[in-house]
């Protein structure tokens, strides 16, 4: 278990699938995390298990808990490039009551410690779209740098939006705040 100031991070357990079913079929959660809604079809419980709890997946996904050990979100990385020691992060605080209360940055900071200091990553990438101000502020507060934009790469609620690419090098990670 990884310990942050207001979050804990642990490996996924199959019992987490019920919460994932709620989150990944929720309009607002999908809107902010991917910009995509409506989805073509809602995800069934079987699809949730196949997608998120598949041991053969190349995704490394963990659970975010609050201080009472309640499941509130998920964090992880994918697209690992071993020679470059790089990967792409993702984070979703799925329980909407927890948005805007600092849980996301706390979990990210804890996870960055783990990835830079224990996995020995050199570089981590994060992305979002230009309307997700909460995510942008959270990433910049942690020291991620905006490295580029994919112009009008996302289509959100009838409008094109830029996808934003953020990056952090191990040498840029501030460990003491
Ligand atoms: C993005 C996310 C991880 C941020 O975590 P969080 O715990 O909500 O972040 P914070 O509470 O620290 O808020 C981040 C910043 O946004 C600000 N903020 C909060 N609500 C806001 C809103 N509705 N609009 C704009 N800014 C907002 C906060 O004040 C804070 O800025 P500050 O540190 O300068 O005060 C979380 O909200 C989340 O998972 N959202 C849904 C999925 C998603 O967007 N995932 C990431 C994109 S792929």
């Amino acid at each position: 278990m990884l310990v942050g100031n207001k979050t804990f991070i642990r490996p996924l357990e199959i019992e987490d699938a019920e919460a994932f079913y709620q989150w990944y079929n929720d309009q607002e959660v999908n809107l902010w995390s991917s910009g995509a809604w409506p989805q073509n079809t809602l995800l069934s419980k079987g699809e949730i298990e196949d997608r998120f709890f598949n041991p053969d997946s190349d995704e490394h996904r963990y659970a975010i808990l609050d201080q009472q050990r309640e499941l509130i979100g998920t964090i992880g990385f994918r697209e690992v490039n071993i020679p470059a020691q790089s990967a792409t992060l993702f984070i979703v605080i799925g329980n909407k009551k927890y948005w805007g209360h600092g849980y996301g940055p706390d979990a990210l900071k804890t996870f960055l410690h783990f990835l830079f200091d224990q996995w020995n990553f050199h570089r981590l990438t994060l992305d979002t779209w230009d309307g997700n101000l909460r995510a942008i502020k959270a990433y910049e507060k942690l020291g991620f740098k905006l490295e580029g934009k994919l112009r009008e790469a996302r289509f959100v609620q009838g409008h094109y939006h830029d996808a934003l690419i953020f990056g952090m090098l191990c040498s840029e990670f501030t460990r003491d705040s």
Side-chain angles (χ1 to χ4, degrees), residues 3-4 19 26 30 36 44 48 72 118 130 132 135 151-152 157-158 160 162 165-167 176:
V3 181
D26 182 276
N30 280 284
S44 68
I48 291 282
I72 63 166
Q118 293 189 43
D130 62 10
N132 194 345
R151 292 173 306 136
E152 302 194 3
Q157 294 186 315
Y160 289 105
D162 294 345
I165 313 298
F166 290 86
D176 58 351

Side-chain angles (χ1 to χ4, degrees), residues 47-152:
E47 285 169 321
I48 291 282
E49 290 187 13
D50 287 348
R51 185 178 296 194
F52 299 118
F53 297 83
N54 177 354
D56 298 327
S57 164
D58 64 356
E59 204 175 70
H60 299 255
R61 183 180 281 270
Y62 299 79
I64 305 173
L65 313 180
D66 71 2
Q67 282 159 316
Q68 284 68 48
R69 309 288 205 272
E70 185 182 333
L71 177 66
I72 63 166
T74 179
I75 191 166
F77 60 96
R78 54 170 84 97
E79 295 163 5
V80 175
N81 181 324
I82 292 173
Q85 294 173 257
S86 68
T88 300
L89 295 183
F90 56 87
I91 179 167
V92 176
I93 302 292
N95 185 329
K96 296 185 270 187
K97 285 187 305 193
Y98 287 79
W99 289 353
H101 298 288
Y103 289 89
D106 187 72
L108 268 172
K109 177 124 195 162
T110 308
F111 205 54
L112 290 173
H113 261 292
F114 175 57
L115 296 188
F116 283 133
D117 296 344
Q118 293 189 43
W119 276 76
N120 195 33
F121 276 112
H122 174 65
R123 176 202 156 80
L124 296 167
T125 302
L126 261 172
D127 69 90
T128 187
W129 56 285
D130 62 10
N132 194 345
L133 300 184
R134 209 163 21 218
I136 295 166
K137 285 186 188 176
Y139 301 166
E140 287 180 338
K141 190 162 61 177
L142 287 166
F144 279 89
K145 293 191 191 333
L146 178 62
E147 297 182 329
K149 297 181 183 188
L150 305 180
R151 292 173 306 136
E152 302 194 3

